[in-house]
Amino acid sequence: MIIKLQERKYEILLLALMQHLFIGVFLTDMAFYTHAIWPVNMLFLGLGSIFLFTGKHSWRHWFRNLHFILILLLPVGIPFFKDLSWYFTFLNINYIVFFGFLFVEVLRFLVKPGYINTDIISASICGYMLLIEISVFSLQFFQYRDLASFKGIDVSSPALTFMDLVYFCSITFTSIGFGDITPNTYVTKLVTAFIGIAGQFYTVVLVGILISKFSSKN
């Protein structure tokens, strides 16, 4: 059973990322989402990422395992510390580090093998979803420091703020840009610009990697 899960680790991680980012499509009770679903989401996401590090014992992976315990506890504290801005600053920084570790691990896999299979495709999509996760929590860091950082963000609950930023980062990455949410300070304008460039750069590099692997296979 463990071996089969290990073989499907990128599909499992992709499923975990998709449910974490877009489960709001199926929910209307934001209080329930914040108190119950979010902690469960992070547990599922953490378990989905475990298989990326199976059999590896470097200091990075030990740090990631210890850090994951903190990641699990942070959403649990939201109902109790939701009025403390420093708590969300701490939460966002730790989420950026967590998803950054996963993104680096996925990139390390993408550039190594000289072939294309389902793992490569799944890992490629995982990398895209991880970039969105990193971007969301980066922008959320600024949003909680200054509520005027964006126009059009719903700040009535942490869940709605998160979902609005998932939407904003997704349309920024895809270059759609409806304009209903806009950065409102020079810091968030520049960070948003950087996020858009990073998304385009990842896409271009990924296409180059996939073409190279396909050519090598042929």
Side-chain angles (χ1 to χ4, degrees):
M1 181 63 178
I2 299 297
I3 296 176
K4 289 183 179 180
L5 291 176
Q6 175 68 19
E7 291 174 350
R8 297 293 180 182
K9 58 186 176 183
Y10 292 105
E11 286 88 343
I12 294 171
L13 177 59
L14 178 58
L15 178 62
L17 288 166
M18 293 293 287
Q19 61 85 31
H20 180 245
L21 288 169
F22 302 111
I23 197 171
V25 173
F26 307 102
L27 297 174
T28 56
D29 188 342
M30 292 299 101
F32 177 70
Y33 176 89
T34 302
H35 297 167
I37 301 299
W38 199 346
V40 173
N41 278 353
M42 290 310 300
L43 176 61
F44 185 35
L45 184 55
L47 293 176
S49 67
I50 284 177
F51 297 104
L52 292 184
F53 301 93
T54 302
K56 300 179 180 180
H57 304 287
S58 70
W59 68 270
R60 293 187 305 105
H61 303 114
W62 285 111
F63 173 80
R64 179 264 172 204
N65 291 335
L66 293 174
H67 188 237
F68 174 54
I69 298 173
L70 178 61
I71 290 298
L72 285 179
L73 295 176
L74 285 172
V76 178
I78 291 177
F80 306 101
F81 303 107
K82 62 182 179 180
D83 296 323
L84 300 177
S85 60
W86 66 263
Y87 186 79
F88 286 97
T89 298
F90 183 69
L91 180 147
N92 289 315
I93 291 173
N94 278 279
Y95 277 12
I96 292 168
V97 172
F98 174 73
F99 289 116
F101 260 91
L102 297 185
F103 183 67
V104 169
E105 197 64 29
V106 168
L107 283 184
R108 285 162 61 90
F109 169 71
L110 285 174
V111 299
K112 281 185 178 180
Y115 55 83
I116 291 183
N117 60 10
T118 55
D119 278 350
I120 294 293
I121 302 301
S122 298
S124 300
I125 304 173
C126 283
Y128 201 82
M129 295 296 107
L130 286 166
L131 270 182
I132 294 177
E133 295 271 19
I134 294 168
S135 301
V136 167
F137 288 106
S138 297
L139 293 178
Q140 199 168 243
F141 170 82
F142 293 104
Q143 174 64 24
Y144 280 111
R145 287 176 61 113
D146 180 2
L147 295 180
S149 293
F150 287 90
K151 292 180 180 178
I153 294 286
D154 191 334
V155 295
S156 60
S157 77
L160 289 173
T161 300
F162 172 76
M163 291 178 190
D164 274 351
L165 286 173
V166 169
Y167 160 76
F168 175 72
C169 289
S170 298
I171 64 173
T172 299
F173 271 43
T174 53
S175 301
I176 298 174
F178 291 112
D180 51 344
I181 298 175
T182 56
N184 195 40
T185 66
Y186 74 91
V187 174
T188 49
K189 287 176 182 178
L190 292 175
V191 173
T192 300
F194 179 79
I195 285 172
I197 293 171
Q200 294 299 317
F201 182 76
Y202 176 79
T203 302
V204 171
V205 172
L206 180 61
V207 170
I209 290 174
L210 293 179
I211 291 175
S212 174
K213 292 181 186 298
F214 184 77
S215 300
S216 297
K217 182 178 180 180
N218 289 338

